[in-house]
Amino acid sequence: MKHKSIDLASEVRRATLPEGLHGFLFPLFEAVSNSLHSIEERYGGDVERQGRIEIEISSGDRQIVIADNGVGLDDNNLAAFLTPLTGNKFERGGKGFGRFIAFRIFREVFYSCREADASGAVTGETYSYKPFATDDNLVEIDAGDGAGEHRFDTGLTVLMRSPLDEAADFFDLTGQRYLGEVAEDAIIAALLNHFLIEFIQRKIPKQTVLAIDDARFNLYDHFNDSLLVGGSRTEYLEIGQTSRRFDFSYFKVDETQAKKHRLYFYANNRAASDLENISSGVNNKPFVEASETGLRRYFYLVAVSSDFFVSSQSRDRITNLHGKVVRDGVKKSIKDHLVALAKQHILEIESAYTSERRAKMVADVEHLIAVDPLLRRGLGDRSPEDFVRKRSITETREQLAQDLFVERFRKKFDFSKLDQNASVEQLEHLVKTQIPADAKEALAVYVAYRNHVITIFRELLKKQESGLATEDKVHALIYPRYKDSDEIDYSSHNLWLLDDDLAYAQYISSDRTPDGNHRAKGEYAHDLLVNNQNELMVVEMKRPQKTGYAAGIESSTNNPVDQLKRQISDIRTKGKIKTSAGREVAVPPDTMVRGYVIADWNDNLQKYLQMEDFVITNYGGQMAYRYFQSLNLMLEVVAFDRLVDRATNRNEAFVQMLEGRSSYDRKPKGTLGSFGTIGERK
């Protein structure tokens, strides 16, 4: 029989496969998938009991065989078999293109089949598959020259052999391709993981056998031995004017069969969505429980089913998951609500883990604010327990530190939290808590002085007639160069421009090494180093209007992150710093160090920081931050504009009081109206 050739060679050449073992096994996955569809077509809902699939991988012959007892190549599906992108495959979630992908791995593919006609008569043939031929695609051959006679009463046998050179070494079961793993275990795990949904849906025959050389494995038994029912829940969502029911089923899947917690939506007795990774907010690692054979490590697979899905199911997709509804006062998509409920259920099922994890997070917060007192501001009036309760269960100590850091910045000098009609008492409280005692007696002079400094600061950031603004002038305004607090007092510097907490620090130095000396050739020296109440801060200032930044350049001013890391590494190695007078200041390893890079914000800097994996935010002005665990270093990159704007906003409160723009009627109108929120330009 003749079949018109399909010109698919260029498509197959362009097709890409996953890397590694999964890519090598992709033709096997496609063949097994076709077998499952064929068996379902023959036996309907009785696939588990009546279906048969046998898979053989021979390292000596370097070939793979897949045989099933499905319908075989009858007249109906033979036409579909020879035509890619058919409706038959779309109905089952595929495209009908997978059989051609075999030629990305193997040079030869053979089929043998048996099928029953309308009268019940069984016929069979053996073929060599030539999808790119100019004549027949299926060339009839003797059974001995191809896949041999089909072993079941009906169905199809596929033989793939003669691997391409780049794939041949996957048949070396003790070779480097398996990276020290047992090849049999790796192949079994890949098959079970790929067909996880089909196993859960009970669409895999009980007689699904894998033979790798002389070793035989029943994949159905292997999977079910690793699966436990974890429980079920029922939830309702108000969608439109109707209360819709959603049923959640939880399965504990052995870590060898699953590498993350996942969820899928289930309609018409089949998975109707891609698997959703729901590990974030639950547990990035497997849960652990005791069993008769020792500790069992498992992930959760969640199946969510509902009649609601059926009404909008289309080709294994649910189209109404993205509509937004309100639940518990929160409006978000139906999908996001269901995912959040699934995570909540898992944490309820794993109550012992949840309690233990929350307690550990509370202890981490308490430790963080003990070694870094300024982080206490991030708590506000909350307890560590309240702070942790609002956070993801999977947050690490480092992430909690970042959260406290962000909360601290949001609270500090945030006048917008005062009501528009704030009373004078509230304003007076703000002044009393923000202005040091020795400045309160001369508030007018203090505020006027600060306003002049801010004006000068803004001018220095501009381009000068003689060229670009210089780092020296900005540095000298903030803190005199080559000096430390053993030589000058607080009245000789303007560190309040960076942070009011720094103005009265116990020790401050500029342009010195951690040994308290001036920099020698080849040595690092910090622009500023501040130690206050056992909190160490190191500041690196870049020239205003600087645009050149690049990672991977050691000892370069274009790589300020590396500059600061090297300085902190030196301090960590020594465990201390020295003042110019020779006093030693201990820097314990469990005490967090803060690093600051002060620079003009531009696209090059932002790209550089993104490449360095910083978190970038524009809350109150451009800044970025990242925690380096090995150095216990929180490194912040802050824009000059942010500093000057925030200094202006802080001073504006005092200016308004001094200029009489607040009244004493207990409810002054517009007192804070011109403050704006933090970072808002004046």
Side-chain angles (χ1 to χ4, degrees), residues 7-51:
D7 183 15
L8 290 165
S10 60
E11 293 296 325
V12 171
R13 283 193 297 270
R14 285 198 296 268
T16 58
L17 294 177
E19 294 183 0
L21 180 62
H22 195 81
F24 168 69
L25 294 176
F26 201 84
L28 168 60
F29 297 154
E30 289 295 322
V32 172
S33 180
N34 290 335
S35 292
L36 292 174
H37 294 159
S38 179
I39 293 169
E40 185 180 20
E41 185 175 338
R42 181 180 182 186
Y43 294 112
D46 202 16
V47 168
E48 269 195 317
R49 188 174 65 88
Q50 297 200 60

Side-chain angles (χ1 to χ4, degrees), residues 308-547:
F308 173 72
F309 297 150
V310 177
S311 64
S312 68
Q313 185 185 7
S314 174
R315 286 189 190 167
D316 287 355
R317 288 290 181 272
I318 299 171
T319 60
N320 58 4
L321 273 172
H322 301 289
K324 293 188 181 296
V325 298
V326 177
R327 178 187 170 89
D328 297 331
V330 177
K331 185 177 183 180
K332 54 187 176 183
S333 71
I334 296 168
K335 174 183 172 181
D336 288 343
H337 276 299
L338 296 175
V339 168
L341 286 168
K343 294 181 180 183
Q344 175 186 322
H345 295 162
I346 292 174
L347 294 178
E348 291 170 357
I349 295 170
E350 296 289 339
S351 58
Y353 163 81
T354 302
S355 298
E356 179 182 343
R357 182 76 194 121
R358 292 283 186 206
K360 173 65 166 56
M361 292 169 70
V362 169
D364 283 342
V365 170
E366 291 173 341
H367 176 73
L368 285 166
I369 63 179
V371 299
D372 188 358
L374 289 180
L375 287 180
R376 185 178 295 277
R377 284 199 184 129
L379 289 179
D381 57 359
R382 295 168 295 178
S383 68
E385 289 79 7
D386 291 336
F387 179 81
V388 164
R389 195 173 295 117
K390 299 294 185 180
R391 320 226 89 66
S392 164
I393 195 73
T394 59
E395 284 206 17
T396 64
R397 180 173 176 268
E398 292 71 32
Q399 290 169 326
L400 289 169
Q402 290 185 0
D403 289 346
L404 285 167
F405 160 77
V406 171
E407 291 294 327
R408 172 202 169 200
F409 258 52
R410 285 176 177 169
K411 289 177 172 58
K412 190 174 184 181
F413 308 119
D414 192 353
F415 304 137
S416 63
K417 284 197 287 294
L418 287 177
D419 186 76
Q420 178 76 13
N421 297 319
S423 68
V424 171
E425 282 85 351
Q426 288 175 293
L427 290 175
E428 287 177 340
H429 175 71
L430 180 144
V431 172
K432 289 176 182 177
T433 57
Q434 300 298 338
I435 301 299
D438 57 358
K440 293 173 185 174
E441 297 177 0
L443 181 58
V445 176
Y446 182 83
V447 172
Y449 167 74
R450 283 195 170 197
N451 271 345
H452 284 302
V453 171
I454 290 170
T455 301
I456 295 169
F457 194 4
R458 288 190 186 277
E459 288 300 315
L460 289 179
L461 296 179
K462 298 178 181 178
K463 186 174 182 179
Q464 306 297 305
E465 292 182 3
S466 57
L468 295 177
T470 67
E471 178 188 340
D472 281 347
K473 292 179 180 179
V474 174
H475 191 313
L477 178 68
I478 295 173
Y479 198 92
R481 305 207 70 167
Y482 313 109
K483 301 290 185 181
D484 72 2
S485 52
D486 283 352
E487 302 170 87
I488 64 172
D489 62 19
Y490 72 90
S491 64
S492 301
H493 65 74
N494 294 298
L495 275 172
W496 55 268
L497 285 166
L498 305 186
D499 191 326
D500 275 282
D501 287 335
L502 306 185
Y504 305 96
Q506 293 168 328
Y507 177 71
I508 308 167
S509 74
S510 171
D511 298 286
R512 294 182 181 273
T513 69
D515 290 324
N517 301 319
H518 293 298
R519 176 174 55 192
K521 185 177 181 179
E523 279 189 305
Y524 286 99
H526 44 259
D527 283 344
L528 288 171
L529 181 145
V530 183
N531 188 67
N532 192 39
Q533 297 178 346
N534 295 321
E535 179 181 56
L536 184 67
M537 286 165 276
V538 181
V539 180
E540 180 70 34
M541 279 186 280
K542 299 285 100 180
R543 173 178 55 76
Q545 303 169 42
K546 177 179 174 62
T547 58

Side-chain angles (χ1 to χ4, degrees), residues 421-425 661-671:
N421 297 319
S423 68
V424 171
E425 282 85 351
R661 283 183 275 160
S662 62
S663 64
Y664 286 82
D665 63 358
R666 300 289 176 181
K667 287 290 183 181
K669 305 299 181 183
T671 303

Side-chain angles (χ1 to χ4, degrees), residues 628-665:
F628 293 90
Q629 184 174 5
S630 62
L631 295 173
N632 196 7
L633 164 67
M634 177 65 80
L635 204 162
E636 307 165 29
V637 181
V638 183
F640 278 121
D641 283 345
R642 176 192 175 93
L643 292 179
V644 71
D645 286 348
R646 288 173 69 89
T648 301
N649 289 340
R650 294 198 301 268
N651 227 38
E652 180 65 16
F654 313 138
V655 172
Q656 289 193 17
M657 292 188 68
L658 289 168
E659 293 180 354
R661 283 183 275 160
S662 62
S663 64
Y664 286 82
D665 63 358

Side-chain angles (χ1 to χ4, degrees), residues 55 57 184 209-217:
I55 305 165
I57 298 177
E184 290 85 349
V209 177
L210 167 67
I212 302 177
D213 291 341
D214 296 328
R216 292 177 64 83
F217 310 91

